[in-house]
Amino acid sequence: MRIFFLNLCAAFLFYLITPMAFAQQNKGLFKFESYESVSHYLNVEQLEYDINDLYVFKTFDEFWKFNTSGFLSGPVIHVFNSDGLYLDLIKSDEVMEKLSDFGNIQKKPKKNALHISSWFNGLINLKTQESIIKEDGASLYFVLNWAVFFNQPEKIELLFKWYDVLKRQQASGKNIQIVLLDMDLQEFWDLSEEKKQDMLKQFNQ
């Protein structure tokens, strides 16, 4: 069983680092986070946020599914339409244009577009650990990917500036739902200490 798990971790590491160059450039960054450690990081970096918007994966399996689907990257913003269908991925060079005028966001989902429920079903609030609730009637849903393990404070700061723009849009009357998705490994996942240490050895080698 131990050999199987280590092989699984090795396979997971391959999928994890292949699409993300920052993981190859920054070794020894992966660790298990908690509400206290994440909130400490955000406070030290002086990043303002609403705790009600801060979500994480509720299990390692959900984390794994998100990664192997190719979405464990960032900082980026994912956009879903009012029906919950995936519309657009906003990168840093597009953010000012698209967030200053929502009309510039791609309007038509692709055939067989991802539905937001496939993500929301796997997320819980970092502090309360309550499941996320999809707000009915929202015109757009924004999911902002970020993580402590990115070890890119400038880009994380930029993402939170994007988040602030969206919050101001929301406060001005735009009917949108905003999710800050922290993609870090989580202490509360149902993993033994032995498994956690085995994973970290693989991820940080």
Side-chain angles (χ1 to χ4, degrees), residues 16 20 22 29-30 63 72 147-151 183-185:
L16 186 66
M20 298 188 295
F22 64 81
L29 303 177
F30 292 93
F63 173 87
L72 195 71
V148 176
F149 73 75
F150 284 172
N151 194 34
M183 298 179 292
D184 287 299
L185 306 172

Side-chain angles (χ1 to χ4, degrees), residues 85-185:
L85 296 175
Y86 192 91
L87 285 181
D88 210 349
L89 182 152
I90 302 177
K91 298 180 181 179
S92 57
D93 59 347
E94 305 170 316
V95 68
M96 293 310 298
E97 174 190 2
K98 293 190 175 184
L99 292 192
S100 62
D101 182 356
F102 290 171
N104 292 326
I105 294 174
Q106 183 173 310
K107 297 177 178 63
K108 187 176 180 181
K110 295 180 180 179
K111 186 178 180 180
N112 300 321
L114 178 77
H115 194 275
I116 200 167
S117 62
S118 66
W119 288 7
F120 277 18
N121 289 343
L123 303 182
I124 59 175
N125 183 269
L126 178 60
K127 182 177 182 180
T128 66
Q129 299 207 349
E130 294 179 355
S131 298
I132 193 169
I133 297 176
K134 179 177 173 289
E135 297 176 5
D136 294 333
S139 60
L140 292 169
Y141 300 87
F142 294 89
V143 179
L144 288 71
N145 283 15
W146 75 282
V148 176
F149 73 75
F150 284 172
N151 194 34
Q152 295 181 327
E154 296 84 3
K155 291 187 177 182
I156 297 298
E157 181 181 3
L158 180 58
L159 178 107
F160 277 78
K161 288 182 178 178
W162 304 343
Y163 169 70
D164 181 62
V165 170
L166 289 171
K167 292 296 284 185
R168 285 189 274 114
Q169 294 272 16
Q170 190 180 56
S172 70
K174 292 284 175 57
N175 188 9
I176 60 177
Q177 183 170 4
I178 308 165
V179 176
L180 277 171
L181 178 54
D182 174 16
M183 298 179 292
D184 287 299
L185 306 172

